[in-house]
């Protein structure tokens, strides 16, 4: 019954649901399982980008970044069970205060509504400690769960043929390789001698220009053109600084929140197109807190 789109054959969703057998129910559960791990990968990608810049590099993060990080963790909690979340969140290795644990994690349930009416809890010194010791990354833990979820459905009557499994594994491997390349770009600064050389030559060029001014050349050659040249060189230097790390939360950085939202919409639309209302109803849209709407 799932090879027809909803309403195309004139049957209601209730009647179609009555024709489902056990394999249809397993198919819906498998689709929902794979979709939730795909969304978890996207959310964890953004969450990891938040903490890699300052957290693992400097060993601490500020209160605002910690609150944004907590919302990403809560999004992961809404997509998985308590035991799965504890296993995955342990890999993040970030400090939680007693007030945070009471507000967010002690109930054992997902509490996304907290971020709509609660302000970030204060921390003495305004800094949260992040362990910089070598350990497994959160993305890798989620990838292992996703690979396990895909593998269990191979050669099942409701699943897929096992010859497709290597292709799925290749896709997951490419995701991890892309993540590692992004982290490398974020955590690798420009060589200090190179930066000093560029700035020294730039300052020397700009300060030496007035010594070569010939007043007989007129206003354009002596004022306008040197000004435009200085603006161009300083602008190129500033653009290089902005592009050094395009994975943050600045205005000029890549909009990962919009990418995640697009992925969520596409996933939900795919479930609707295949007619799997049971799997689609397992997911609910939640409002975004105000402090994240400016990203």
């Amino acid at each position: 019954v799932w090879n027809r789109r909803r309403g195309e054959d004139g049957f209601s969703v209730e009647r179609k649901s009555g024709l489902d057998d056990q394999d249809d129910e397993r198919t819906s559960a498998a689709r929902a399982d794979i979709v939730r791990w795909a969304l978890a990968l996207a959310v964890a990608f953004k969450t990891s980008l938040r903490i890699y810049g300052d957290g693992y590099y400097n060993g601490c993060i500020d209160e605002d970044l910690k609150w944004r990080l907590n919302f990403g963790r809560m999004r992961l909690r809404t997509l998985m069970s308590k035991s799965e979340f504890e296993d995955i969140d342990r890999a993040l290795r970030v400090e939680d205060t007693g007030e945070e644990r009471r507000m967010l994690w002690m109930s054992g349930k997902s509490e996304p509504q907290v971020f709509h009416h609660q302000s970030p809890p204060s921390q003495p010194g305004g800094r949260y400690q992040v362990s910089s010791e070598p350990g497994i990354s959160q993305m890798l833990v989620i990838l292992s769960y996703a690979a396990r979820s895909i593998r269990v459905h191979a050669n099942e009557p409701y699943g897929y043929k096992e010859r497709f499994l290597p292709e799925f594994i290749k896709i997951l491997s490419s995701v991890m390789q892309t993540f590692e390349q992004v982290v490398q770009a974020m955590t690798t600064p420009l060589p200090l001698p190179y930066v000093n050389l560029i700035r020294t030559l730039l300052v020397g060029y700009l300060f030496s220009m007035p010594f070569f001014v010939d007043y007989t050349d007129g206003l354009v050659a002596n004022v306008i053109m040197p000004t435009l040249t200085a603006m161009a060189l300083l602008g190129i230097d500033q653009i290089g600084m902005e592009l050094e790390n395009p994975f943050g939360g600045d205005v000029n950085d890549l909009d990962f929140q919009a990418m995640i939202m697009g992925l969520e919409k596409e996933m939900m639309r795919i479930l609707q197109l295949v007619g799997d209302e049971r799997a689609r109803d397992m997911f609910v849209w939640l409002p975004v807190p105000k402090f994240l709407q400016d990203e």
Side-chain angles (χ1 to χ4, degrees):
V1 297
W2 298 122
N3 61 346
R4 301 173 183 174
R5 287 185 295 179
R6 176 181 174 183
E8 197 173 76
D9 51 8
F11 292 104
S12 63
V13 176
E14 291 77 11
R15 182 170 181 180
K16 289 182 178 180
S17 300
L19 300 175
D20 291 348
D21 56 16
Q22 193 173 20
D23 283 341
D24 291 316
E25 297 176 357
R26 292 175 178 175
T27 301
S28 296
R31 286 173 179 153
D33 203 36
I34 293 175
V35 166
R36 73 185 180 97
W37 286 119
L39 296 178
L41 280 172
V43 174
F45 199 104
K46 176 60 178 177
T47 302
S48 299
L49 294 184
R50 293 187 189 279
I51 197 171
Y52 264 94
D54 294 325
Y56 297 138
Y57 194 75
N58 298 323
C60 60
I61 55 177
D62 58 30
E63 293 180 348
D64 179 69
L65 180 57
K66 180 58 164 50
W67 196 238
R68 294 172 185 268
L69 183 69
N70 284 339
F71 181 74
R73 297 164 66 192
M74 185 60 70
R75 292 184 71 181
L76 291 176
R77 178 65 183 89
T78 61
L79 293 169
M80 55 194 65
S81 65
K82 181 180 179 181
S83 60
E84 291 171 342
F85 174 74
E86 290 176 349
D87 189 21
I88 291 171
D89 190 64
R90 193 180 302 114
L92 207 57
R93 307 189 305 278
V94 62
E95 176 189 9
D96 278 333
T97 63
E99 186 177 359
E100 284 180 310
R101 288 191 291 269
R102 179 186 58 81
M103 286 194 308
L104 303 175
W105 317 118
M106 288 187 64
S107 66
K109 302 181 295 183
S110 58
E111 302 283 353
Q113 71 279 358
V114 173
F115 295 91
H116 294 275
H117 58 265
Q118 291 283 354
S119 57
S122 60
Q123 168 80 339
R127 310 292 292 180
Y128 290 82
Q129 298 299 316
V130 179
S131 175
S132 56
E133 296 180 358
I136 188 171
S137 68
Q138 188 182 65
M139 281 287 294
L140 190 58
V141 178
I142 296 179
L143 278 170
S144 66
Y145 273 99
R148 184 190 309 172
S149 175
I150 294 174
R151 187 175 60 252
V152 297
H153 305 299
N155 275 346
E156 295 292 339
Y158 61 89
Y160 60 91
K161 297 299 182 181
E162 65 179 3
R163 64 175 178 270
F164 296 108
L165 181 59
E167 298 301 322
F168 292 136
I169 300 301
K170 288 180 182 178
I171 294 174
L172 295 178
S173 299
S174 66
V175 171
M176 193 62 196
Q177 291 175 0
T178 301
F179 175 72
E180 293 294 342
Q181 292 172 358
V182 170
V183 171
Q184 183 178 7
M186 290 182 59
T187 57
T188 304
L190 288 176
L192 185 59
Y194 172 79
V195 176
N196 290 336
L197 176 63
I198 295 298
R199 299 288 172 81
T200 302
L201 293 177
L202 181 60
V203 172
Y205 173 74
L206 294 179
F207 273 98
S208 65
M209 287 186 64
F211 296 101
F212 298 93
V213 170
D214 187 355
Y215 70 93
T216 60
D217 291 336
L219 179 65
V220 175
N222 293 328
V223 179
I224 297 179
M225 294 307 299
T227 302
L228 293 178
T229 302
M231 291 177 58
L233 294 176
L234 294 174
I236 292 174
D237 181 66
Q238 185 63 31
I239 290 173
M241 293 178 58
E242 290 289 337
L243 296 181
E244 183 180 0
N245 179 16
F247 306 106
D250 297 334
V251 177
N252 294 328
D253 293 334
L254 297 176
D255 192 354
F256 278 95
Q257 294 290 6
M259 297 179 190
I260 294 174
M261 183 179 297
L263 177 63
E264 291 173 335
K265 292 180 179 179
E266 290 176 3
M267 289 292 186
M268 297 303 103
R269 184 56 178 165
I270 288 173
L271 292 178
Q272 290 177 343
L273 290 176
V274 300
D276 198 343
E277 294 295 329
R278 181 187 290 106
R280 172 61 183 85
D281 292 340
M282 294 181 184
F283 300 92
V284 179
W285 291 105
L286 296 176
V288 178
K290 291 184 178 179
F291 67 90
L292 281 176
Q293 293 179 3
D294 58 347
E295 288 192 352

PDB file of all heavy atoms in Angstrom, residues 178-196:
ATOM      1  N   THR A 178      34.434  14.436   5.792  1.00  0.00           N
ATOM      2  CA  THR A 178      34.103  15.857   5.638  1.00  0.00           C
ATOM      3  C   THR A 178      34.176  16.578   6.976  1.00  0.00           C
ATOM      4  O   THR A 178      34.700  17.701   7.072  1.00  0.00           O
ATOM      5  CB  THR A 178      32.702  16.009   5.037  1.00  0.00           C
ATOM      6  OG1 THR A 178      32.649  15.354   3.770  1.00  0.00           O
ATOM      7  CG2 THR A 178      32.342  17.477   4.866  1.00  0.00           C
ATOM      8  N   PHE A 179      33.663  15.943   8.017  1.00  0.00           N
ATOM      9  CA  PHE A 179      33.716  16.539   9.348  1.00  0.00           C
ATOM     10  C   PHE A 179      35.163  16.756   9.801  1.00  0.00           C
ATOM     11  O   PHE A 179      35.496  17.812  10.356  1.00  0.00           O
ATOM     12  CB  PHE A 179      32.973  15.644  10.335  1.00  0.00           C
ATOM     13  CG  PHE A 179      33.076  16.105  11.764  1.00  0.00           C
ATOM     14  CD1 PHE A 179      32.392  17.225  12.194  1.00  0.00           C
ATOM     15  CD2 PHE A 179      33.853  15.406  12.673  1.00  0.00           C
ATOM     16  CE1 PHE A 179      32.495  17.657  13.513  1.00  0.00           C
ATOM     17  CE2 PHE A 179      33.953  15.817  13.986  1.00  0.00           C
ATOM     18  CZ  PHE A 179      33.276  16.948  14.403  1.00  0.00           C
ATOM     19  N   GLU A 180      36.011  15.788   9.579  1.00  0.00           N
ATOM     20  CA  GLU A 180      37.413  15.923   9.972  1.00  0.00           C
ATOM     21  C   GLU A 180      38.101  17.050   9.195  1.00  0.00           C
ATOM     22  O   GLU A 180      38.931  17.785   9.752  1.00  0.00           O
ATOM     23  CB  GLU A 180      38.160  14.602   9.730  1.00  0.00           C
ATOM     24  CG  GLU A 180      37.706  13.454  10.622  1.00  0.00           C
ATOM     25  CD  GLU A 180      38.027  13.693  12.083  1.00  0.00           C
ATOM     26  OE1 GLU A 180      38.887  14.565  12.370  1.00  0.00           O
ATOM     27  OE2 GLU A 180      37.439  13.018  12.946  1.00  0.00           O
ATOM     28  N   GLN A 181      37.752  17.226   7.927  1.00  0.00           N
ATOM     29  CA  GLN A 181      38.333  18.313   7.147  1.00  0.00           C
ATOM     30  C   GLN A 181      37.869  19.677   7.675  1.00  0.00           C
ATOM     31  O   GLN A 181      38.663  20.629   7.735  1.00  0.00           O
ATOM     32  CB  GLN A 181      37.950  18.153   5.685  1.00  0.00           C
ATOM     33  CG  GLN A 181      38.586  16.945   5.005  1.00  0.00           C
ATOM     34  CD  GLN A 181      38.042  16.699   3.610  1.00  0.00           C
ATOM     35  OE1 GLN A 181      37.144  17.408   3.143  1.00  0.00           O
ATOM     36  NE2 GLN A 181      38.576  15.708   2.922  1.00  0.00           N
ATOM     37  N   VAL A 182      36.604  19.761   8.072  1.00  0.00           N
ATOM     38  CA  VAL A 182      36.092  21.014   8.629  1.00  0.00           C
ATOM     39  C   VAL A 182      36.792  21.334   9.946  1.00  0.00           C
ATOM     40  O   VAL A 182      37.196  22.481  10.198  1.00  0.00           O
ATOM     41  CB  VAL A 182      34.569  20.925   8.818  1.00  0.00           C
ATOM     42  CG1 VAL A 182      34.050  22.107   9.627  1.00  0.00           C
ATOM     43  CG2 VAL A 182      33.861  20.863   7.473  1.00  0.00           C
ATOM     44  N   VAL A 183      36.930  20.336  10.803  1.00  0.00           N
ATOM     45  CA  VAL A 183      37.606  20.543  12.089  1.00  0.00           C
ATOM     46  C   VAL A 183      39.054  20.972  11.870  1.00  0.00           C
ATOM     47  O   VAL A 183      39.576  21.859  12.566  1.00  0.00           O
ATOM     48  CB  VAL A 183      37.532  19.264  12.944  1.00  0.00           C
ATOM     49  CG1 VAL A 183      38.417  19.387  14.182  1.00  0.00           C
ATOM     50  CG2 VAL A 183      36.096  18.991  13.357  1.00  0.00           C
ATOM     51  N   GLN A 184      39.711  20.361  10.910  1.00  0.00           N
ATOM     52  CA  GLN A 184      41.102  20.733  10.617  1.00  0.00           C
ATOM     53  C   GLN A 184      41.192  22.178  10.151  1.00  0.00           C
ATOM     54  O   GLN A 184      42.108  22.912  10.536  1.00  0.00           O
ATOM     55  CB  GLN A 184      41.675  19.792   9.559  1.00  0.00           C
ATOM     56  CG  GLN A 184      43.141  20.046   9.249  1.00  0.00           C
ATOM     57  CD  GLN A 184      43.695  19.065   8.229  1.00  0.00           C
ATOM     58  OE1 GLN A 184      42.957  18.282   7.653  1.00  0.00           O
ATOM     59  NE2 GLN A 184      44.998  19.110   8.003  1.00  0.00           N
ATOM     60  N   ALA A 185      40.234  22.596   9.325  1.00  0.00           N
ATOM     61  CA  ALA A 185      40.233  23.985   8.862  1.00  0.00           C
ATOM     62  C   ALA A 185      39.967  24.960  10.004  1.00  0.00           C
ATOM     63  O   ALA A 185      40.516  26.073  10.025  1.00  0.00           O
ATOM     64  CB  ALA A 185      39.185  24.165   7.766  1.00  0.00           C
ATOM     65  N   MET A 186      39.132  24.555  10.966  1.00  0.00           N
ATOM     66  CA  MET A 186      38.810  25.430  12.091  1.00  0.00           C
ATOM     67  C   MET A 186      39.967  25.569  13.063  1.00  0.00           C
ATOM     68  O   MET A 186      40.221  26.656  13.596  1.00  0.00           O
ATOM     69  CB  MET A 186      37.585  24.889  12.836  1.00  0.00           C
ATOM     70  CG  MET A 186      36.281  24.996  12.103  1.00  0.00           C
ATOM     71  SD  MET A 186      34.923  24.373  13.114  1.00  0.00           S
ATOM     72  CE  MET A 186      35.030  25.436  14.553  1.00  0.00           C
ATOM     73  N   THR A 187      40.652  24.491  13.335  1.00  0.00           N
ATOM     74  CA  THR A 187      41.654  24.469  14.399  1.00  0.00           C
ATOM     75  C   THR A 187      43.073  24.728  13.909  1.00  0.00           C
ATOM     76  O   THR A 187      43.998  24.758  14.728  1.00  0.00           O
ATOM     77  CB  THR A 187      41.621  23.106  15.117  1.00  0.00           C
ATOM     78  OG1 THR A 187      41.833  22.047  14.166  1.00  0.00           O
ATOM     79  CG2 THR A 187      40.270  22.891  15.787  1.00  0.00           C
ATOM     80  N   THR A 188      43.267  24.920  12.610  1.00  0.00           N
ATOM     81  CA  THR A 188      44.611  25.191  12.083  1.00  0.00           C
ATOM     82  C   THR A 188      44.746  26.677  11.782  1.00  0.00           C
ATOM     83  O   THR A 188      44.178  27.172  10.801  1.00  0.00           O
ATOM     84  CB  THR A 188      44.883  24.376  10.805  1.00  0.00           C
ATOM     85  OG1 THR A 188      44.693  22.980  11.079  1.00  0.00           O
ATOM     86  CG2 THR A 188      46.299  24.609  10.313  1.00  0.00           C
ATOM     87  N   PRO A 189      45.448  27.433  12.615  1.00  0.00           N
ATOM     88  CA  PRO A 189      45.592  28.872  12.360  1.00  0.00           C
ATOM     89  C   PRO A 189      46.598  29.143  11.250  1.00  0.00           C
ATOM     90  O   PRO A 189      47.407  28.283  10.888  1.00  0.00           O
ATOM     91  CB  PRO A 189      46.096  29.404  13.715  1.00  0.00           C
ATOM     92  CG  PRO A 189      46.862  28.251  14.302  1.00  0.00           C
ATOM     93  CD  PRO A 189      46.135  27.000  13.847  1.00  0.00           C
ATOM     94  N   LEU A 190      46.546  30.362  10.732  1.00  0.00           N
ATOM     95  CA  LEU A 190      47.536  30.772   9.740  1.00  0.00           C
ATOM     96  C   LEU A 190      48.915  30.857  10.410  1.00  0.00           C
ATOM     97  O   LEU A 190      49.019  31.263  11.563  1.00  0.00           O
ATOM     98  CB  LEU A 190      47.161  32.125   9.148  1.00  0.00           C
ATOM     99  CG  LEU A 190      45.971  32.149   8.191  1.00  0.00           C
ATOM    100  CD1 LEU A 190      45.668  33.580   7.773  1.00  0.00           C
ATOM    101  CD2 LEU A 190      46.252  31.295   6.962  1.00  0.00           C
ATOM    102  N   PRO A 191      49.977  30.484   9.707  1.00  0.00           N
ATOM    103  CA  PRO A 191      51.327  30.582  10.297  1.00  0.00           C
ATOM    104  C   PRO A 191      51.641  32.018  10.704  1.00  0.00           C
ATOM    105  O   PRO A 191      51.445  32.956   9.923  1.00  0.00           O
ATOM    106  CB  PRO A 191      52.240  30.091   9.170  1.00  0.00           C
ATOM    107  CG  PRO A 191      51.356  29.274   8.280  1.00  0.00           C
ATOM    108  CD  PRO A 191      50.000  29.892   8.361  1.00  0.00           C
ATOM    109  N   LEU A 192      52.119  32.181  11.922  1.00  0.00           N
ATOM    110  CA  LEU A 192      52.397  33.519  12.437  1.00  0.00           C
ATOM    111  C   LEU A 192      53.442  34.266  11.600  1.00  0.00           C
ATOM    112  O   LEU A 192      53.266  35.466  11.329  1.00  0.00           O
ATOM    113  CB  LEU A 192      52.847  33.422  13.894  1.00  0.00           C
ATOM    114  CG  LEU A 192      53.063  34.761  14.616  1.00  0.00           C
ATOM    115  CD1 LEU A 192      51.784  35.575  14.625  1.00  0.00           C
ATOM    116  CD2 LEU A 192      53.560  34.517  16.045  1.00  0.00           C
ATOM    117  N   PRO A 193      54.538  33.642  11.160  1.00  0.00           N
ATOM    118  CA  PRO A 193      55.491  34.384  10.304  1.00  0.00           C
ATOM    119  C   PRO A 193      54.862  34.895   9.012  1.00  0.00           C
ATOM    120  O   PRO A 193      55.182  35.994   8.547  1.00  0.00           O
ATOM    121  CB  PRO A 193      56.591  33.353  10.019  1.00  0.00           C
ATOM    122  CG  PRO A 193      56.511  32.394  11.156  1.00  0.00           C
ATOM    123  CD  PRO A 193      55.063  32.307  11.494  1.00  0.00           C
ATOM    124  N   TYR A 194      53.947  34.093   8.449  1.00  0.00           N
ATOM    125  CA  TYR A 194      53.282  34.528   7.212  1.00  0.00           C
ATOM    126  C   TYR A 194      52.420  35.753   7.467  1.00  0.00           C
ATOM    127  O   TYR A 194      52.445  36.729   6.691  1.00  0.00           O
ATOM    128  CB  TYR A 194      52.446  33.373   6.671  1.00  0.00           C
ATOM    129  CG  TYR A 194      51.560  33.735   5.505  1.00  0.00           C
ATOM    130  CD1 TYR A 194      52.083  33.835   4.213  1.00  0.00           C
ATOM    131  CD2 TYR A 194      50.207  33.985   5.694  1.00  0.00           C
ATOM    132  CE1 TYR A 194      51.274  34.170   3.150  1.00  0.00           C
ATOM    133  CE2 TYR A 194      49.395  34.317   4.629  1.00  0.00           C
ATOM    134  CZ  TYR A 194      49.924  34.417   3.360  1.00  0.00           C
ATOM    135  OH  TYR A 194      49.131  34.751   2.307  1.00  0.00           O
ATOM    136  N   VAL A 195      51.664  35.740   8.577  1.00  0.00           N
ATOM    137  CA  VAL A 195      50.804  36.887   8.907  1.00  0.00           C
ATOM    138  C   VAL A 195      51.646  38.125   9.170  1.00  0.00           C
ATOM    139  O   VAL A 195      51.327  39.232   8.699  1.00  0.00           O
ATOM    140  CB  VAL A 195      49.928  36.545  10.124  1.00  0.00           C
ATOM    141  CG1 VAL A 195      49.093  37.756  10.542  1.00  0.00           C
ATOM    142  CG2 VAL A 195      49.016  35.365   9.821  1.00  0.00           C
ATOM    143  N   ASN A 196      52.737  37.973   9.927  1.00  0.00           N
ATOM    144  CA  ASN A 196      53.592  39.119  10.224  1.00  0.00           C
ATOM    145  C   ASN A 196      54.222  39.693   8.955  1.00  0.00           C
ATOM    146  O   ASN A 196      54.350  40.919   8.807  1.00  0.00           O
ATOM    147  CB  ASN A 196      54.691  38.708  11.204  1.00  0.00           C
ATOM    148  CG  ASN A 196      54.134  38.433  12.590  1.00  0.00           C
ATOM    149  OD1 ASN A 196      53.077  38.936  12.950  1.00  0.00           O
ATOM    150  ND2 ASN A 196      54.851  37.652  13.371  1.00  0.00           N
TER     151      ASN A 196
END
